[in-house]
Amino acid sequence: MSGEFYDGIPLELLLFEEVRVPDPTHLRRSLRYRGALDIEPEHAVEAALDPRRLVGRDPSSRTGESIRVVGYSAGMGRLLTVVLLPDRHPPDGVWQIATAWPTDKRVRPAYQGLWEVS
């Protein structure tokens, strides 16, 4: 969000040129959480590369390296929260997906307030 930095780069200026899914099992949330929705890798990538995405620091990051992106996946028809790690420091536009989940109702209004999404 505005005013926050990542490796000295304002969050709103971070590059997102390529997003990779190194381990798709992290997107199979139903293996860890009963009733959770699994996310297909292509849907997580689509949400992460949404040009209207919201980007913020990941408050649950143990290392402080991850960011959260809220973006729309047209293929899935919903907003997703995607946790990303940079391929290198400082970030050069290549990111790795750590995990993703459907965006919850507390976060959706922030995206929907800026963009028209059902």
Side-chain angles (χ1 to χ4, degrees):
M1 301 308 224
S2 184
E4 289 187 74
F5 290 84
Y6 188 95
D7 277 358
I9 303 168
L11 286 180
E12 59 270 16
L13 297 179
L14 285 175
L15 295 175
F16 292 86
E17 294 177 355
E18 183 179 346
V19 175
R20 300 176 184 157
V21 182
D23 185 358
T25 60
H26 290 285
L27 299 174
R28 300 212 38 226
R29 296 181 65 80
S30 65
L31 296 175
R32 296 186 308 277
Y33 308 107
R34 180 177 294 209
L37 184 64
D38 293 335
I39 308 295
E40 294 298 326
E42 61 269 18
H43 296 148
V45 170
E46 182 179 33
L49 293 175
D50 177 357
R52 301 178 302 178
R53 69 188 160 259
L54 301 177
V55 179
R57 300 301 301 247
D58 181 8
S60 299
S61 176
R62 291 186 197 114
T63 64
E65 292 186 60
S66 60
I67 61 170
R68 286 191 187 181
V69 172
V70 174
Y72 185 71
S73 167
M76 197 163 181
R78 66 188 327 156
L79 285 174
L80 299 178
T81 299
V82 183
V83 176
L84 300 171
L85 291 164
D87 196 47
R88 59 183 53 92
H89 291 281
D92 64 354
V94 179
W95 297 85
Q96 309 288 327
I97 292 178
T99 190
W101 60 85
T103 301
D104 68 33
K105 63 184 175 185
R106 294 172 298 145
V107 178
R108 282 193 299 257
Y111 184 97
Q112 292 169 327
L114 299 172
W115 314 106
E116 291 297 319
V117 173
S118 57

